[in-house]
Amino acid sequence: MPRTVAPARRHTARSRRLRLTAAFAVLMAVAGYLTVQYVTGGKSSDQCTVESADGSSGEGRTYRLTSEQAANAATISAVGTTRGMPERAVTIALATALQESALRNIEHGDRDSLGLFQQRPSQGWGTEKQIMDPVYSAGKFYERLAEVPGYSRLPLTVAAQRVQRSGFPQAYAKHEPDAALLAAALTGRAPAALNCDPPRSTAATGGRAKVRAALVRSFGKDVLPSEDAAAQPPAAGAAAGTGSLSVPVQAARRAGQDGVPQRGWELAHWAVAQSEALGIDEVAYAGKKWASGAGWRTERKESGTTAVRIRLAQ
């Protein structure tokens, strides 16, 4: 005879399955939350946006990121262009860092992987201290990318994989559109495309020495003239070391979408991306002025294209 199951036992088994299903759902929700916290560092708001050139028509693309991510992306771009690498190389580097660390300079990863590109000291990328320096780690990435024959003509996944040797090479592909959007802005080809609105409660107090040091670290010592020529006096009552900075633009650099040197917009976007970390209040270039909390606006008194003006928080 067929074996029958008592109603009570069936009810108990069904209740157990429901409890297990509910527990699994809770576990997955917690895992999802922890993943978001890992990737974003616990920050829920994105203070920066990058828009494509036709964004005003409603047909462009927009990418949002935190101030921390924008600052790291700007450093990666600056290191690449300073080495003479093309925009395509910057796109490859940014897509790689988006996949490996979500553009965060993290102190953990698979085995001994560290930093923006999850480079491993045991694999000859450098010491832990070196790899945690975004300028150094970006430089090492470009150094190895330059050794890949024809990298600029290769699919991004192939070029990135020949540098990284990842276990999931196809994962880089999903970041290419966002990386290309970032690269267009950060290399200066797309004018006034990056905007940040850092919360005033966390913004640093500005200082010329701090900004100068960061510029030289990212772009090299030739980015600025002497201290006396570059610095302008601070406003009355301002703390020592604050004020404004004028960063000269190399006119020989090719023009961007607005016909002015890309170098100028590259420097301007770098300053906007670093605004929270370095305490930058205003950036002006080529008739446009960015102000914290207001974004980019057309200047009443048009600024020229021979220098980027940076005003620091006081």
Side-chain angles (χ1 to χ4, degrees):
M1 296 179 60
R3 183 181 179 184
T4 59
V5 180
R9 293 179 60 185
R10 287 199 298 269
H11 177 73
T12 301
R14 184 165 57 252
S15 298
R16 186 180 298 111
R17 286 196 298 272
L18 288 173
R19 288 197 299 272
L20 289 173
T21 300
F24 181 76
V26 171
L27 180 62
M28 293 303 295
V30 171
Y33 171 80
L34 293 176
T35 299
V36 169
Q37 297 301 300
Y38 172 85
V39 172
T40 65
K43 298 180 180 180
S44 59
S45 60
D46 298 330
Q47 295 94 35
C48 299
T49 59
V50 184
E51 294 184 312
S52 59
D54 57 350
S56 60
S57 67
E59 299 177 356
R61 296 186 65 255
T62 299
Y63 180 62
R64 301 182 185 279
L65 63 169
T66 66
S67 293
E68 175 192 4
Q69 291 171 316
N72 287 328
T75 297
I76 291 171
S77 178
V79 171
T81 59
T82 299
R83 287 172 168 257
M85 304 294 278
E87 183 179 327
R88 177 62 175 172
V90 175
T91 298
I92 295 169
L94 290 171
T96 301
L98 280 166
Q99 170 59 28
E100 298 292 351
S101 68
L103 282 172
R104 292 174 56 241
N105 195 28
I106 52 181
E107 298 179 349
H108 49 76
D110 178 44
R111 287 168 285 189
D112 58 339
S113 299
L114 298 166
L116 290 171
F117 296 92
Q118 290 291 279
Q119 295 158 338
R120 299 178 60 191
S122 63
Q123 299 301 308
W125 286 97
T127 66
E128 291 185 8
K129 182 178 179 180
Q130 287 175 324
I131 292 172
M132 289 302 297
D133 174 5
V135 173
Y136 173 89
S137 62
K140 292 300 289 185
F141 180 87
Y142 288 120
E143 180 182 305
R144 297 201 181 184
L145 180 63
E147 296 173 353
V148 177
Y151 72 84
S152 62
R153 299 185 300 274
L154 293 174
L156 185 145
T157 53
V158 175
Q161 173 64 0
R162 291 188 182 176
V163 175
Q164 295 293 107
R165 304 298 183 186
S166 169
F168 306 95
Q170 294 305 315
Y172 300 118
K174 64 178 178 287
H175 299 290
E176 184 167 2
D178 295 330
L181 193 63
L182 273 170
L186 294 173
T187 61
R189 181 168 60 83
L194 172 67
N195 180 42
C196 290
D197 186 15
R200 303 313 301 159
S201 60
T202 61
T205 300
R208 286 194 302 270
K210 187 176 180 180
V211 177
R212 285 178 62 86
L215 277 163
V216 170
R217 283 279 295 142
S218 294
F219 293 99
K221 63 181 180 179
D222 294 334
V223 70
L224 287 171
S226 65
E227 172 70 36
D228 292 339
Q232 298 176 14
T242 64
S244 59
L245 195 69
S246 182
V247 186
V249 174
Q250 300 171 9
R253 187 78 177 269
R254 64 187 181 279
Q257 293 174 355
D258 58 355
V260 301
Q262 281 190 220
R263 177 67 163 185
W265 282 116
E266 178 182 16
L267 292 165
H269 285 150
W270 178 91
V272 171
Q274 304 285 349
S275 58
E276 180 176 353
L278 299 178
I280 294 172
D281 263 354
E282 290 182 358
V283 180
Y285 180 66
K288 299 284 187 180
K289 181 169 73 174
W290 171 88
S292 181
W296 287 101
R297 299 288 188 273
T298 299
E299 280 199 295
R300 292 181 180 179
K301 184 178 180 181
E302 185 170 318
S303 57
T305 60
T306 60
V308 174
R309 301 199 318 268
I310 299 173
R311 189 171 75 84
L312 310 176
Q314 299 175 7

